[in-house]
Amino acid sequence: MVIRIAAVGDVHLDEDVVGRFRPALEELSGHADALLLAGDLTRHGTESEARCVAREFGGLGVPVVTVLGNHDHQCDQAPQVVRTLEDAGITVLEGDGIVLDCAGGRLGVAGVKGFGGGFAGRCASDFGEPEMKAFVRTTTDSADALGAALRSLDCDVLVALTHYSPVPDTLAGEPLEIYPFLGSYQLGQAIDSAPTALALHGHAHHGTERGATPGGVRVRNVAHPVIKQAYSVFHLGDHLDQAQVSGVGASGIQQSWS
Ligand SMILES: [Fe+2]
Ligand SMILES: [Fe+2]
């Protein structure tokens, strides 16, 4: 049995962009059991932009699960954004998870936005000024919440959903100088603390699609400018140790925008 997961991030919808994904999304229920969105759904995180997201991703006939991205926080309207999405039937995760009954088994999804901090040998540390400690603590708290949510889910296939990257692999193509603002190794450690089959993230528009955590969990950057299509579809088998992950081309948007 196979669970089919569609995913995309960084769609950055507003009134100018809304509608571009919908033709491909109308066909999604034939290709996938669920759609996971990896944050940066809006340009500036306004309630009106969230209504665009609700129009685009509501009523698709499959469960839609998302995390927010940094752009979705820009106007300090995150609670209104979350409420608007939830009113459209979209599940918003932040330090929690959901188990979906799919034809191929129970799909568990745990999600957080995540935060920066950097990667092994090149990361911020919990030392010195209170501002630096607060920065690192934000990442640590987010990673701890992700790990706890992943370990709490009773499911057949477990997926981690974040906006920030858990590994540097999928940042290849971005300037090295900004890696600490694109993700954190602590998210990777959280993913490796559970029997995670697949980790999905966005945020790195100029990054690379494929990577893996130190523990061997497959990581995919599904930012729309990276995958250059309306969504990618991943097939995951029953057995976590045999989870087969394959990107399947989906019809839809070919152009990218940031
Ligand atoms: Fe983005
Ligand atoms: Fe982002």
Side-chain angles (χ1 to χ4, degrees):
M1 298 293 277
V2 165
I3 296 176
R4 306 165 304 166
I5 301 167
V8 65
D10 299 87
V11 294
H12 289 283
L13 291 186
D14 62 11
E15 283 293 345
D16 294 333
V17 177
V18 68
R20 294 197 205 176
F21 288 80
R22 193 71 194 192
L25 292 170
E26 296 288 359
E27 304 169 7
L28 187 140
S29 61
H31 298 297
D33 302 301
L35 172 63
L36 307 188
L37 302 174
D40 275 4
L41 310 175
T42 65
R43 282 196 177 277
H44 299 106
T46 65
E47 194 171 354
S48 67
E49 289 176 352
R51 284 195 289 272
C52 294
V53 178
R55 275 160 53 197
E56 198 81 339
F57 292 99
L60 293 180
V62 300
V64 180
V65 180
T66 193
V67 292
L68 297 188
N70 55 313
H71 278 248
D72 305 319
H73 283 267
Q74 169 60 17
C75 284
D76 296 324
Q77 296 179 24
Q80 296 94 316
V81 169
V82 169
R83 192 169 58 242
T84 302
L85 298 178
E86 290 181 339
D87 285 348
I90 297 170
T91 300
V92 184
L93 299 180
E94 180 51 48
D96 53 354
I98 187 171
V99 176
L100 304 171
D101 279 316
C102 304
R106 293 168 302 160
L107 169 63
V109 183
V112 293
K113 176 179 62 63
F115 201 54
F119 300 92
R122 301 286 189 274
C123 58
S125 59
D126 183 14
F127 183 89
E129 305 91 325
E131 293 85 354
M132 180 58 80
K133 289 174 180 168
F135 179 86
V136 173
R137 197 176 308 120
T138 302
T139 308
T140 303
D141 289 348
S142 183
D144 287 350
L146 176 63
L150 283 166
R151 294 189 298 272
S152 75
L153 296 179
D154 180 16
C155 58
D156 300 313
V157 171
L158 183 59
V159 173
L161 179 64
T162 62
H163 181 60
Y164 285 76
S165 178
V167 295
D169 315 20
T170 48
L171 306 182
E174 298 280 3
L176 281 171
E177 292 85 348
I178 68 168
Y179 274 32
F181 305 106
L182 297 177
S184 166
Y185 74 96
Q186 294 192 63
L187 296 170
Q189 288 183 334
I191 289 163
D192 283 342
S193 75
T196 312
L198 173 66
L200 300 170
H201 75 88
H203 193 44
H205 290 206
H206 302 291
T208 302
E209 191 169 359
R210 291 167 177 253
T213 66
V217 177
R218 296 170 180 85
V219 178
R220 296 293 182 266
N221 177 0
V222 293
H224 173 63
V226 171
I227 65 172
K228 296 182 172 61
Q229 55 190 358
Y231 51 85
S232 291
V233 180
F234 302 95
H235 292 184
L236 292 107
D238 304 308
H239 304 293
L240 294 172
D241 59 348
Q242 296 176 358
Q244 186 186 6
V245 182
S246 59
V248 175
S251 62
I253 298 165
Q254 295 299 318
Q255 77 271 30
S256 64
W257 58 89
S258 61

